[in-house]
Amino acid sequence: MPTALITGASSGLGAEFARQLAAKGADLVLVARGTDALNALAGELRTQHGVAVEVLAADLAQESDVTRVAERIADAGHPIDLLINNAGFGLPLQFADNDIEDEVRHLRVHVEASMRLMHAGIRAMRGRGGRIINVASVAGFISRSTYSACKSWLIGFSRWANAEYSRDGVSVTAVCPGFTHTSFHARMGLAPGHEGVPKLMWLDAADVVREGLRDAARGRSVSIPSLRYKVVVALSRVLPSSLTAGVARRGRV
């Protein structure tokens, strides 16, 4: 059985990745800060699909916890075939008004932790093959505070790594959804319907994960689920950044 390690696995896209992969017969290593939700999901997947599920509690803003997860990825005796860097959180768009320590933690989780785990994953997978999925965002193509900056780095690095390490049997895919119905916005205190986003722009988590897994299996460096967001990204490449940044400010996150 292939084994997938998923960060931010306790809810949202991470939990959806876990459910879809378990349904395909993959064993799992689930990583998140809280153990209660992880244990509940692990029990559900073991019962429904008969797969092996390992729970690893870790706060990826803490270097020592990132090191523990990287060591698990590097464990040759229990190899990881698919690494999904999904952990993350959002902050208000007003960078100057945010606490700088929150911004630093945001950067550590989205960029530094993902980079460290990718480093461990590529080193472990070279030669034998494997896949890495980095959950980025359409925001990475549009100027939208530090969240966009973090996701832009993830997209760019995934593109390079996919080209560089495909010769070693390792594919790297940045999955870039738009606004998706998960608990992401609720954790920021925004109730459903109060995020400042038109209903047309919302995606379903199951569809995002399904398309992301399919594109990763095809070896694509970037996956943009849904035609509407492919159009958004295409327009962002030709429109002035001042215009796209103005449109991006309309959402509250």
Side-chain angles (χ1 to χ4, degrees), residues 91-94 144 179 188-191 194-197 248-253:
L91 293 172
L93 293 176
Q94 295 76 24
R144 204 165 191 255
F179 291 102
M188 296 180 66
L190 299 175
H194 295 274
E195 306 93 345
V197 181
R249 281 197 298 270
R250 293 182 182 181
R252 292 180 58 192
V253 297

Side-chain angles (χ1 to χ4, degrees), residues 32-48:
R33 287 184 298 167
T35 56
D36 290 346
L38 281 182
N39 284 326
L41 178 60
E44 169 195 327
L45 299 178
R46 292 183 191 115
T47 300
Q48 291 185 2

Side-chain angles (χ1 to χ4, degrees), residues 7 13 17 60 83-89 106-119 122 132-142 145-163 171-177 184 220-224:
T7 68
L13 288 176
F17 271 111
L60 298 185
L83 165 63
I84 301 178
N85 281 313
N86 169 74
F89 63 96
H106 182 261
L107 183 68
R108 284 175 178 162
V109 172
H110 285 271
V111 176
E112 182 179 340
S114 295
M115 180 184 68
R116 287 179 177 273
L117 299 187
M118 283 179 66
H119 186 263
I122 292 170
I132 297 174
I133 292 176
N134 294 315
V135 178
S137 171
V138 164
F141 299 98
I142 301 169
S145 194
T146 49
Y147 183 79
S148 288
C150 290
K151 296 304 186 182
S152 179
W153 182 90
L154 204 55
I155 293 166
F157 194 70
S158 297
R159 279 180 167 147
W160 172 83
N162 190 58
S171 69
V172 182
T173 303
V175 176
C176 306
F184 181 89
R220 292 181 177 172
S221 60
V222 177
S223 171
I224 304 171

Side-chain angles (χ1 to χ4, degrees), residues 224-245:
I224 304 171
S226 88
L227 177 60
R228 77 198 83 161
Y229 278 108
K230 287 181 172 69
V231 171
V232 168
V233 170
L235 288 173
S236 74
R237 291 169 177 158
V238 297
L239 294 175
S241 59
S242 58
L243 177 60
T244 58

Side-chain angles (χ1 to χ4, degrees), residues 73-74 116-128 132 165 170:
I73 294 169
R116 287 179 177 273
L117 299 187
M118 283 179 66
H119 186 263
I122 292 170
R123 287 171 67 95
M125 295 173 184
R126 278 189 303 188
R128 66 174 174 83
I132 297 174
Y165 294 105
V170 182

